[in-house]
Amino acid sequence: MDNYETTDVLICGCGPTGALVSGYLGRYGIPNIVLEKDPSITTDPRGISLDDDGIRAVQGLGLYEHIFTDIGSTIPRVRFVSGIHQDLHARPFLCFDTGSSEGYTGHVGVIGHKQPVLEKHLRSVIESSAVSALRPSRTLTSIHEDNLWVYATYLDASGKERRIRSRFLVAADGKTGYTRKQYLEPKGVRLEWAEATKYDETWVALNWKIHLPTPQTHPTFPLWNLGYSPEMVYDLFFPEDFRFLCNAQRPAVCGRFGLPSDRLWRFEFVIAPGEDGVEMAQRPKIREVVGPYITHPGSRYGLTGNIEFPEDCIQVLRSRPFRFSARTCNKWALGRTILCGDAAHYLIPPVGGQGIASGFRDAIGLSWRLAILCSSKQTLDHERILTAWYTERKQQLDKYLAATVRNGDMVNTKSSLQRLLRDWGLWAIQLSPKWKHQLEQGSRAKGPVKYSHRTGLPFLPGLNGGICFPQTYCSAVADADCIVRFSDDVVFAASREKLFQVVVLLQDSQTLSSVLSDLAEAKQDCVSLLSYREATIFAPRSCLRGIDDDSSRYMDGRVYRPATTEEFGRSKLCHNRPHPRGYNEDLMWQTCAGKPYIIVRPDRFVFAMCSTAAELEMAAKQLEEMFS
């Protein structure tokens, strides 16, 4: 095999999922090569929403500074509007507060982003890595493997055939990619419906760039005489909040995405039975379906006739039909070949907005396992480790898919009785401030994700493992300038040498000196995946008096306290995003229920919560045994 180039991981496809896999592998020091068939990033904004979990994954690659300055902006609310009409200002029957920080990540609930810009920044991580390489204009042509390697051939930009071998091949090349369609499906990998209620619909996805009319460019526009400015007109016709239009005749979703200055607008609507998707994406049909939403009755402003937003101020960036299905593969890995993102689970219905975020969850959970498999000096059972990865992920994905389909059925029902029960039922529930608040939080009201344990899954259920470890804001106790950080950024700092990290949550009865003594006495001779010396210590405000200056200096800035919402609001981390609302600085302590020693996996899930240093030592040994 002398004529084969060699790398640890070959990634096929450099969309958001593939780029995130490469980014995290590069962070772990694992050599990888990404093959991408297109010569450059597509300029077509496809996915436009990213939830707080997805923001956290992007933050983990050191890209947080770009999220609200270049990639996108907060979606403040998501409104669910009932009725057969085209009024974007109709009162909603339900509203999600997606601009709050009331989750377990410290981030807002959802941003509307520009996918090409998101991909640009993800690729910048690959380009700056010493062990990662991106090769555009490469087309995969064959795959075969043995017990040790995956062998692939591809055509380079000039059409010349190249050969490469890797310890693992990760296919992030989408629903029609070569790896699943040509290589794995003949071996028995197949797409299956994700739940009993089969979701299969076609939607038209429309992207517009809005240019502001002005009194100079459109002097006859009637609202100028009423004192409206161009920005006010834009806000009237293209309101800030995202909307689910639960119109029984034509369900749709619409809202802004990107930066406010971009003035980008997404509108998606369902193709009815008997309609042709290609025809419905053409200008005459778009004018027929979408036009009424940007046409206001003059009576709203005390005028006669209808007021239409000027069509020549609308630039069409995209107008295409897409088929959405709730499907997932029966296996996401076979041998040394792995599927993730849309290659593993088919496009998710647009009412969930989970497409890119789901691929990110695949990537962050897969990358640390590949890091262990590629760096271990022992021969590990890679099939067991990879099966555990997608078994975990399918639990989470199936819940999201099922909830998305159920919610879609609920908000888009064609039954007048069901609509009546829905609208009045939700109205009654919201009479209670507590229940109304829970409804406004949406899925975040359920708390952090927690896996159900099955044999082989890498966490200890008896020690409360399997739950997503929350992120909060913090500041080093020894830091006189009170620089605010995200807790992930200190726990998983780039200087950390180990994949797994120990987090110590000081309790009221504990002192820093006793914790340092416990950690120093714990044995870790047989532990390669974590180091007690890298432990990050968090102290609640009630414990700060027990931390003297000498101890803080001894820990070299690794003792942190919670930061308040006011401190975060004054920090650069809050630039261009809303001041945090609903933030809970004690969330780590509440989630871990009094357990002081926490082993956290690289994907931010808890491996074990331990009551004593001896229990921590036992859990660390079990971690080592799982990957030996």
Side-chain angles (χ1 to χ4, degrees):
M1 297 297 177
D2 293 338
N3 57 346
Y4 276 83
E5 182 182 9
T6 298
T7 189
D8 277 358
V9 180
L10 179 65
I11 302 168
C12 298
C14 198
T17 300
L20 201 79
V21 173
S22 178
Y24 274 97
L25 288 176
R27 189 176 179 87
Y28 303 145
I30 304 301
N32 66 93
I33 293 173
V34 189
L35 304 181
E36 169 54 49
K37 66 178 181 179
D38 292 327
S40 59
I41 298 171
T42 177
T43 59
D44 179 22
R46 290 165 290 179
I48 64 164
S49 65
L50 192 64
D51 67 8
D52 57 338
D53 215 20
I55 298 171
R56 190 180 188 183
V58 176
Q59 171 205 334
L61 290 181
L63 296 174
Y64 178 80
E65 64 180 303
H66 304 292
I67 290 176
F68 295 102
T69 58
D70 196 25
I71 294 173
S73 57
T74 303
I75 295 177
R77 287 164 294 275
V78 175
R79 299 173 180 262
F80 295 83
V81 181
S82 184
I84 300 174
H85 57 76
Q86 287 81 32
D87 183 5
L88 296 181
H89 294 275
R91 184 175 180 177
F93 65 84
L94 177 63
C95 185
F96 288 165
D97 182 10
T98 49
S100 78
S101 304
E102 195 163 350
Y104 55 90
T105 66
H107 294 304
V108 297
V110 185
I111 64 168
H113 68 87
K114 297 173 291 186
Q115 184 173 333
V117 178
L118 172 63
E119 291 190 33
K120 177 191 73 174
H121 287 291
L122 291 174
R123 291 188 181 197
S124 72
V125 176
I126 302 174
E127 292 162 357
S128 64
S129 171
V131 296
S132 304
L134 169 60
R135 297 178 183 173
S137 301
R138 267 61 171 184
T139 303
L140 190 66
T141 55
S142 74
I143 302 172
H144 71 278
E145 60 185 285
D146 57 26
N147 291 333
L148 298 177
W149 299 96
V150 181
Y151 305 90
T153 60
Y154 65 92
L155 301 179
D156 65 15
S158 67
K160 183 177 181 180
E161 184 176 88
R162 304 285 184 178
R163 298 181 178 185
I164 188 170
R165 69 174 185 173
S166 57
R167 299 182 65 179
F168 298 94
L169 185 150
V170 176
D173 47 1
K175 61 176 182 175
T176 60
Y178 178 93
T179 309
R180 177 168 61 80
K181 298 293 290 184
Q182 304 298 321
Y183 180 65
L184 291 180
E185 285 189 1
K187 296 178 178 292
V189 173
R190 62 185 184 276
L191 277 171
E192 299 175 332
W193 292 104
E195 64 165 45
T197 303
K198 298 180 179 180
Y199 182 95
D200 192 11
E201 288 187 324
T202 299
W203 292 60
V204 166
L206 183 74
N207 288 340
W208 285 351
K209 181 174 177 60
I210 309 302
H211 301 276
L212 296 184
T214 68
Q216 292 73 38
T217 61
H218 297 78
T220 62
F221 189 68
L223 294 186
W224 306 140
N225 294 332
L226 299 180
Y228 286 88
S229 67
E231 285 288 352
M232 292 167 67
V233 169
Y234 173 63
D235 290 337
L236 281 172
F237 285 86
F238 302 94
E240 183 180 32
D241 296 339
F242 218 82
R243 282 160 171 77
F244 285 78
L245 306 172
C246 308
N247 187 321
Q249 294 181 353
R250 179 85 69 182
V253 297
C254 64
R256 300 179 186 181
F257 67 100
L259 300 178
S261 58
D262 295 323
R263 296 194 182 90
L264 298 174
W265 178 260
R266 165 65 63 89
F267 196 102
E268 296 183 62
F269 62 89
V270 172
I271 301 301
E275 293 178 338
D276 179 80
V278 175
E279 179 186 2
M280 295 302 295
Q282 302 305 308
R283 184 176 290 270
K285 289 296 184 181
I286 293 299
R287 187 182 292 113
E288 177 184 321
V289 173
V290 187
Y293 287 98
I294 55 172
T295 301
H296 293 178
S299 58
R300 179 178 296 176
Y301 308 96
L303 302 173
T304 59
N306 291 332
I307 303 174
E308 298 180 21
F309 188 85
E311 188 173 347
D312 61 348
C313 290
I314 298 172
Q315 178 184 354
V316 179
L317 303 180
R318 150 189 276 218
S319 185
R320 292 180 57 189
F322 282 89
R323 181 185 175 190
F324 292 92
S325 298
R327 297 188 182 188
T328 180
C329 286
N330 60 324
K331 292 183 178 182
W332 296 10
L334 188 64
R336 293 179 173 271
T337 303
I338 306 158
L339 300 172
C340 62
D342 285 347
H345 36 83
Y346 209 73
L347 291 174
I348 296 176
V351 293
Q354 286 290 321
I356 292 178
S358 290
F360 280 2
R361 294 183 186 101
D362 295 351
I364 196 170
L366 173 62
S367 56
W368 68 263
R369 290 166 165 94
L370 288 176
I372 291 175
L373 289 170
C374 292
S375 60
S376 175
K377 297 178 181 180
Q378 308 174 59
T379 300
L380 302 180
D381 186 348
H382 61 274
E383 292 188 351
R384 174 181 61 83
I385 291 172
L386 294 175
T387 298
W389 160 68
Y390 71 76
T391 299
E392 273 192 351
R393 276 291 300 124
K394 281 170 71 71
Q395 282 189 35
Q396 193 177 13
L397 180 71
D398 288 348
K399 289 179 181 178
Y400 277 113
L401 282 172
T404 297
V405 172
R406 286 195 300 270
N407 291 342
D409 290 342
M410 184 269 290
V411 300
N412 296 325
T413 178
K414 296 184 182 300
S415 167
S416 57
L417 176 60
Q418 288 181 352
R419 291 198 303 272
L420 180 66
L421 294 174
R422 175 199 66 196
D423 294 354
W424 281 97
L426 287 171
W427 173 81
I429 289 174
Q430 293 177 81
L431 292 175
S432 164
K434 179 181 178 180
W435 291 350
K436 182 177 185 293
H437 179 72
Q438 288 184 338
L439 282 175
E440 288 175 343
Q441 296 312 305
S443 61
R444 292 184 294 169
K446 299 178 181 178
V449 173
K450 185 172 184 179
Y451 291 128
S452 299
H453 189 263
R454 298 178 186 176
T455 302
L457 298 192
F459 59 87
L460 301 182
L463 294 179
N464 304 107
I467 193 170
C468 190
F469 189 68
Q471 173 172 243
T472 59
Y473 318 137
C474 64
S475 179
V477 171
D479 185 2
D481 296 328
C482 188
I483 297 174
V484 177
R485 299 172 174 88
F486 287 111
S487 57
D488 279 4
D489 292 345
V490 298
V491 173
F492 294 99
S495 59
R496 300 289 193 257
E497 296 180 358
K498 303 298 184 178
L499 281 173
F500 287 69
Q501 289 297 315
V502 175
V503 172
V504 179
L505 302 178
L506 291 184
Q507 310 298 313
D508 288 340
S509 60
Q510 284 184 299
T511 64
L512 179 60
S513 58
S514 66
V515 168
L516 295 177
S517 176
D518 287 345
L519 292 176
E521 291 177 5
K523 298 178 182 179
Q524 54 179 19
D525 296 339
C526 62
V527 180
S528 62
L529 293 176
L530 61 81
S531 169
Y532 303 144
R533 288 184 294 274
E534 289 187 345
T536 307
I537 300 177
F538 292 95
R541 297 183 184 279
S542 59
C543 281
L544 292 182
R545 293 181 180 178
I547 301 176
D548 56 44
D549 293 338
D550 290 338
S551 295
S552 297
R553 285 195 295 270
Y554 175 77
M555 287 300 291
D556 194 24
R558 287 195 285 123
V559 182
Y560 293 84
R561 64 164 179 84
T564 66
T565 55
E566 291 74 18
E567 289 171 330
F568 182 84
R570 293 192 299 266
S571 75
K572 64 180 182 179
L573 298 179
C574 200
H575 180 60
N576 279 3
R577 59 150 281 176
H579 192 280
R581 290 181 289 106
Y583 164 69
N584 179 2
E585 68 177 54
D586 296 322
L587 193 58
M588 287 191 289
W589 285 268
Q590 293 175 4
T591 301
C592 297
K595 305 293 185 180
Y597 300 104
I598 318 299
I599 299 178
V600 186
R601 302 185 333 190
D603 56 2
R604 285 52 171 171
F605 277 82
V606 171
F607 177 78
M609 300 181 187
C610 306
S611 299
T612 63
E615 200 168 62
L616 171 65
E617 185 177 350
M618 179 271 293
K621 291 180 179 179
Q622 289 187 259
L623 168 63
E624 195 73 12
E625 291 169 359
M626 285 187 180
F627 294 99
S628 63

